[in-house]
Amino acid sequence: MSTPVGPAGDDLVIVPPPPPGEPQPSARPSSAETLTPIVLPAGAPTRSPALLLGVAIAAAAGLIVNVAGLVGFPYNAPVEQIYALGISIDLIAIVIVCGLGALMSRRGYPLRAQSAITVVALAFALGAAVLWMVAGGIASVIQLFTPEGGRYMYASAGLFYGGATWVLAVIFGSHGYRAGGTLRNNATAFAALALAGVLASYAIASSLIYGLGLTN
């Protein structure tokens, strides 16, 4: 049988249909061909959904307490109100980022046993602590043991001005921790989280007692 010729002189190739019962070729691969399940090797380091969720819950609890204190602030204390509002926004950022991180890390992607962001987290936490001390944090602690009592402005100023620093310390520390990671990596992550958590807890507690009228 001769091959027909097109009007422009080009040869036309006739492709016969597939035999009955055979599947038609498809341009798109099926979902079974494109999705490959992740199989983790035994002991492979991963992010910790439990830690990320715990940090998100702790930040949410701190947000509730901080706002409860803010509600009781005197109307003629605009600076203190701005400080408390800024810290509340920082806590919301931690809740969102760590909550999403916990959700996305449930599948357990294998990672390196050590991450550089834990060192960055600790550096940020130390920077936030220095800023807190310079902005009057130590003075506020000393004032707690005097008849005058502590001042919320001094207790929270460093955390307000260094909001990005301590927030990133919490986010990097919780995301840099590795379940099954090295001891050094996880200890660094916990140190960053502990230091940033102490600073935040003091400011949040100061917000509550200031809102109750127990301090200046």
Side-chain angles (χ1 to χ4, degrees):
M1 179 177 179
S2 61
T3 303
V5 180
D10 298 332
D11 291 340
L12 299 179
V13 180
I14 300 177
V15 180
E22 291 190 5
Q24 296 285 344
S26 174
R28 292 184 177 180
S30 64
S31 59
E33 296 173 342
T34 57
L35 294 179
T36 303
I38 296 177
V39 179
L40 287 176
T46 63
R47 287 189 179 90
S48 172
L51 177 63
L52 288 164
L53 182 60
V55 171
I57 293 174
L63 174 63
I64 295 173
V65 175
N66 195 62
V67 172
L70 175 59
V71 172
F73 279 19
Y75 70 91
N76 59 345
V79 176
E80 288 83 351
Q81 292 174 3
I82 292 174
Y83 284 1
L85 182 60
I87 293 174
S88 297
I89 295 174
D90 294 338
L91 291 168
I92 291 174
I94 294 174
V95 171
I96 294 174
V97 176
C98 291
L100 290 176
L103 183 64
M104 296 174 64
S105 62
R106 289 184 307 167
R107 198 176 181 190
Y109 294 94
L111 300 169
R112 293 182 179 179
Q114 188 164 322
S115 174
I117 64 173
T118 57
V119 179
V120 178
L122 183 57
F124 279 155
L126 290 172
V130 171
L131 183 58
W132 175 80
M133 289 186 290
V134 171
I138 295 179
S140 71
V141 175
I142 296 174
Q143 288 174 347
L144 290 174
F145 301 95
T146 64
E148 180 184 356
R151 294 197 61 183
Y152 174 74
M153 179 183 294
Y154 294 155
S156 59
L159 213 65
F160 172 77
Y161 290 113
T165 306
W166 76 272
V167 168
L168 288 176
V170 173
I171 291 174
F172 286 175
S174 56
H175 280 79
Y177 175 87
R178 297 287 182 264
T182 64
L183 177 62
R184 178 180 178 180
N185 180 80
N186 293 345
T188 305
F190 276 128
L193 290 172
L195 183 54
V198 167
L199 296 176
S201 298
Y202 180 68
I204 292 169
S206 298
S207 171
L208 183 60
I209 61 178
Y210 178 59
L212 294 173
L214 302 178
T215 56
N216 297 323

